[in-house]
């Protein structure tokens, strides 16, 4: 009985959290590792030696391509994101605020829908190359994207935002007096930038680079639609699974995971290093007004062109969604516009079904995320126990694991009855998809909840308890209401991400629970561009709505939790 | 209301012992202060009384009840936190009503009680305000009201005034005292401000490094510090390391260590001035205001010739540093008579009255 009540309570809260993490994060990963060690019915490293020594070198080539494309993605995204962060946070010119918020628009595009938009815009039959061809009377389209350049362009478009956001917030945290001190000591602009500003930004840049590297290693939708013959590892896993080479798929998954998890660990280490550099905080950025008229209007003009490029994909989807299927076949440009696709979407039960499925699956998954996220975050932030970093890492694993790997893990774990599925086989049933979405978004909800809980002073909880409230009463009446806005904005974000989720869906869906993303693929295959775009628009609207609600009602910059 | 008994309590955080061998008896209705430098264990002790920490060893009792392992919500203590810890999502009224709602007080009675206490802290017009829209002093009064409305047996205040400016501190001090007398509630007050402790408390406990050095009324603590730590922590004092050279019925003669001459000082042999049980290193203590400055050479016990080294002017008071036989003495004199004209370098005579000097044990290790 020496164990006091608090310890018992911690245990009581910790056990369900740990059970969920072990059952649905750790166990499936271990199952994949086990599977990768199986070859012809015995335990060997044979699959791994095959991976590296295979004559055709497909796997090695895919691994190499993944790394290669990720490095390029980091470079290109940095080259776009960092200068933009500087221009928008350091200079003031007409329209700056608008351009600055437009710069995060790529986030409002679910990956699959984004890739689709790029295909329509810049692909073989794309609007832009064809418009240029007609405009200048060329015989051939002047350019088209596809293969590696296509993937890279899509990556740059979506991932520069991570650089833009992290570097912007770092710039705003730099105490202006540091730079002023350097000028005061006689340093010129160039010196100040390289000796003061840049070193202060390195942590942010490194963090963004690691993040972008991880995301593009895991990227699935872009290669899936654009790769052509170009092989990347995340896609190879999918092909191995389709071909029934499960042991090979497992091996590929493990190798991709090792790369990703080592990046996660490196990133944690890097961010936990004591960072003296940001000691003074909360100083608003000071922006210099641009007085030189030529420079000023150049900036404004570039801003406008930039915004047009950034928003073109959104407009393309909108435009396509208004083109009824079958009215745009051999013509270069569509000619009929109406709301037929939307009408069908809500009236034809067959077309409505995927939307309904997606919403239902996502509601279930997100409800789970909400309960689990609050519980896990509370235990991690407010309770003391041994092995906290272990739990912390378990929580973050689904974030580091590529979606394809999570899908494979679930296949290996739940294509047989287990105690964790109460003796049922989950693969091929309705429940496997909500489970996958739930796992995918554990880190997102836990992290956004952590952020608000860390702000909450411990004495608030103590005050309530010393006034006589039991723990559960305190939790319901004091803690939950205070953290709810932050929690909800994270949860809503998880919800819309679930609605758009493609990689796990494509591995795990069944005909009856097929979600929107799968139906978009089907419609594309049948060349029903309009219907596919209408689905896309629904997703864009949902995401925009969530960001708006979070900003307006919860005062939370929800897009922050994405990085 | 209740008395509090802390019986041989120890609290360790891993290897750090935050509080050790603590014995305290706090009486019913008493205003009791924990005083000590930062990190000495005041908050830790308070939190053991509130139930947020459980002692590693020892027993905490309220009245006769053993409370050592009772969870905080069952202790009926009202606590005012240093940062107030008001619930940010509730109005002033809701904050104050919280403890009553937990106790399932009916809505009529609840309203009456909250209004009464808000009146007591003079916040009745602010009941429907959001707490974030209050000034620091008002927030503090909400915190007080919230703690008082549950009619706790014990009121715990952890440096409640440290976030306020000087004027508001004065106001809040008298407010707290007024409410404490009104409710006749046993109160423990934590501070490291000695002026606050001396002016407010019935009794004070002085802490250092997790050990309680003395418990006493403000005048006991000031006039009869138990050792050199207490003496040095509260007010200014002259502490001279000494050896006892001989004892007589009326006097104890001591020699100052590392003095230039070996002149003796005669201290009255009375319980106030010397405790027979004191062992180990000893120090002679005398407050600066107890030393007399003489204009002319005079004969008598404990009179020495000295040179004025520094003069500091404080208005009603003048602080003079006098060098006597190689030792520096702090002397405070009223701004009147001859001390007005003192200049650095002047030769004067000082008298250390025999009944004002005390011989006390050295515990800090660097009495000099
Ligand atoms: N939770 C804890 N874990 C480890 N050590 C602690 C903990 N709480 C307090 N301590 C240590 O115990 C000692 C006493 O701390 P305490 O907070 O009681 O000091 P205090 O007298 O209230 O100081 P202050 O005036 O600065 O508030 C300190 O050395 C402190 O570092
Ligand atoms: Mg303290």
């Amino acid at each position: 009985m020496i164990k006091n009540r608090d310890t018992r309570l911690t245990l009581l809260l910790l056990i369900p959290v740990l059970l969920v993490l072990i059952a649905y994060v750790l166990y499936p990963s271990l199952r994949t590792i086990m599977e990768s060690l199986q070859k012809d019915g015995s335990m060997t490293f044979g699959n791994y030696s095959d991976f590296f020594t295979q004559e055709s070198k497909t796997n090695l080539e895919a691994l190499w391509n993944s790394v290669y494309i990720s490095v390029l993605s980091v470079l290109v995204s940095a080259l776009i994101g960092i200068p933009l962060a500087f221009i928008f946070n350091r200079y003031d010119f007409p329209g700056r605020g608008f351009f600055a918020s437009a710069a995060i628009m790529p986030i409002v595009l679910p990956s699959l829908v984004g890739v689709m938009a790029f295909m329509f815009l810049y692909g073989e039959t794309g609007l832009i190359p064809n418009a240029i061809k007609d405009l200048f009377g060329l015989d051939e389209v002047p350019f088209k994207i596809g293969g590696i350049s296509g993937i890279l362009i899509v990556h740059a478009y979506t991932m520069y935002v991570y650089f833009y956001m992290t570097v912007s917030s770092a710039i705003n945290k730099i105490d202006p007096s540091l730079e002023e001190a350097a000028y005061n000591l006689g340093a010129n602009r160039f010196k100040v930038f390289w000796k003061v500003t840049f070193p202060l930004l390195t942590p942010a840049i490194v963090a963004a680079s690691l993040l972008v590297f991880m995301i593009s290693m895991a990227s699935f939708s872009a290669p899936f639609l654009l790769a052509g013959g170009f092989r990347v590892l995340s896609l190879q896993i999918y092909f191995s699974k389709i071909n029934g080479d499960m042991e090979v798929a497992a091996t590929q998954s493990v190798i991709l995971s090792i790369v990703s998890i080592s990046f996660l660990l490196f990133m944690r280490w890097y961010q936990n290093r004591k960072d003296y550099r940001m000691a003074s905080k909360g100083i608003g950025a000071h922006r210099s007004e641009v007085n030189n008229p030529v420079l000023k209007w150049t900036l404004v003009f570039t801003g406008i062109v930039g915004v047009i490029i950034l928003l073109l994909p959104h407009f393309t989807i909108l435009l396509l969604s208004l083109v009824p299927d079958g009215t745009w076949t051999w013509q270069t440009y569509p000619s009929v516009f109406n709301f037929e696709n939307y009408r069908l979407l809500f009236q034809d039960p067959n077309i409505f079904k995927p939307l309904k499925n997606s919403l239902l699956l996502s509601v279930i998954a997100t409800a789970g995320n909400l309960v689990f996220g609050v519980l896990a975050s509370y235990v991690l932030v407010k309770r003391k126990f041994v092995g906290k970093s272990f739990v912390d890492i378990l929580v973050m694993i689904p974030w580091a694991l590529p979606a394809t790997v999570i899908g494979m893990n679930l296949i290996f774990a739940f294509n047989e009855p287990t105690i964790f599925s109460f003796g049922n086989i989950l693969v091929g049933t309705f429940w496997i998809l909500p489970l996958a979405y739930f796992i995918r978004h554990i880190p997102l909800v836990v992290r956004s909840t952590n952020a608000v809980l860390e702000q909450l002073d411990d004495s608030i909880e103590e005050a309530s308890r010393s006034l006589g409230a039991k723990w559960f009463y305190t939790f319901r009446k004091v803690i939950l209401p205070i953290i709810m806005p932050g929690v909800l904005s994270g949860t809503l974000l998880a919800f819309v991400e679930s609605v758009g989720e493609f990689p796990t869906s494509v591995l795990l869906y069944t005909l009856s629970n097929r979600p929107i993303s799968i139906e978009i693929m089907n419609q594309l295959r049948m060349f029903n561009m309009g219907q596919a775009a209408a689905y896309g628009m629904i997703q864009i609207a949902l995401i925009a709505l969530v960001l708006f609600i979070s900003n307006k009602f919860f005062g939370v910059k929800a897009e922050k939790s994405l990085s | 209301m209740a008395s509090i008994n802390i019986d041989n309590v120890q609290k360790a955080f891993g290897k750090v012992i935050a509080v050790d061998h603590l014995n305290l008896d706090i009486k019913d209705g008493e205003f009791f202060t924990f005083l000590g430098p930062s990190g000495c264990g005041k908050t830790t002790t308070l939190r053991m009384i509130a139930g947020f920490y459980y002692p590693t060893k020892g027993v905490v009792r309220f009245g006769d009840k053993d409370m050592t392992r009772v969870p905080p919500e069952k202790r009926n203590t009202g606590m005012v936190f240093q940062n107030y810890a008001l619930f940010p999502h509730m109005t002033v009224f809701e904050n104050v009503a919280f403890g009553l709602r937990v106790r399932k007080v009916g809505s009529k009675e609840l309203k009456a009680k909250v209004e009464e206490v808000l009146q007591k802290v003079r916040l009745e017009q602010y009941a429907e305000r959001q707490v974030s829209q209050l000034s620091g002093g008002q927030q503090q009064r909400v915190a007080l009201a919230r703690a008082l409305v549950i009619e706790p047996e014990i009121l715990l205040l952890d440096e409640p005034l440290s976030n306020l400016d000087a004027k508001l501190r004065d106001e809040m001090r008298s407010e707290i005292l007024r409410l404490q007398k009104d409710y006749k509630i046993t109160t423990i007050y934590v501070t490291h401000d000695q002026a606050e402790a001396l002016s407010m408390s019935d009794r004070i406990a002085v802490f250092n490094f997790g050990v309680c050095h003395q418990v006493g009324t403000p005048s006991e603590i000031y006039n009869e510090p138990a050792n050199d730590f207490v003496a040095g922590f509260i007010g200014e004092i002259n502490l001279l390391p000494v050896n006892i050279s001989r004892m007589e019925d009326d006097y104890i003669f001591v020699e100052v260590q590392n003095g230039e001459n070996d002149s003796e000082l005669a201290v009255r042999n009375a319980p106030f001035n010397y405790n027979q049980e004191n062992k180990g290193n000893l120090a002679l203590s005398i407050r600066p205001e107890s030393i007399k400055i003489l204009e002319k050479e005079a004969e008598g016990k404990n009179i020495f010739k000295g040179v004025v080294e520094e003069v500091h002017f404080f208005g009603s008071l003048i602080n003079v540093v006098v060098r006597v036989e190689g030792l520096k003495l702090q002397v405070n004199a009223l701004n009147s008579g001859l001390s007005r004209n003192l200049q650095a370098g002047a030769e004067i005579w000082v008298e250390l009255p025999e009944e004002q000097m005390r011989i006390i044990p050295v515990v800090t290790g660097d009495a000099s």
Side-chain angles (χ1 to χ4, degrees), chain A residues 179-199:
Chain A
E179 285 169 302
E180 286 161 7
Y183 284 122
N184 183 257
L185 293 169
N188 59 23
R189 254 170 194 278
F190 185 77
K191 261 237 154 67
V192 170
F193 180 80
W194 285 111
K195 298 281 173 189
V196 180
T197 319
F198 192 73

Side-chain angles (χ1 to χ4, degrees), chain B residues 40-51:
Chain B
C40 68
K42 306 179 296 281
T43 299
T44 306
T45 310
L46 197 75
R47 291 170 66 84
M48 284 192 284
I49 296 172

Side-chain angles (χ1 to χ4, degrees), chain A residues 384, chain B residues 13 16 18 36-45 53 82 159 192:
Chain A
K384 285 205 199 89
Chain B
F13 296 105
V16 183
S38 192
C40 68
K42 306 179 296 281
T43 299
T44 306
T45 310
Y53 293 154
Q82 184 166 355
E159 304 198 33
H192 49 228

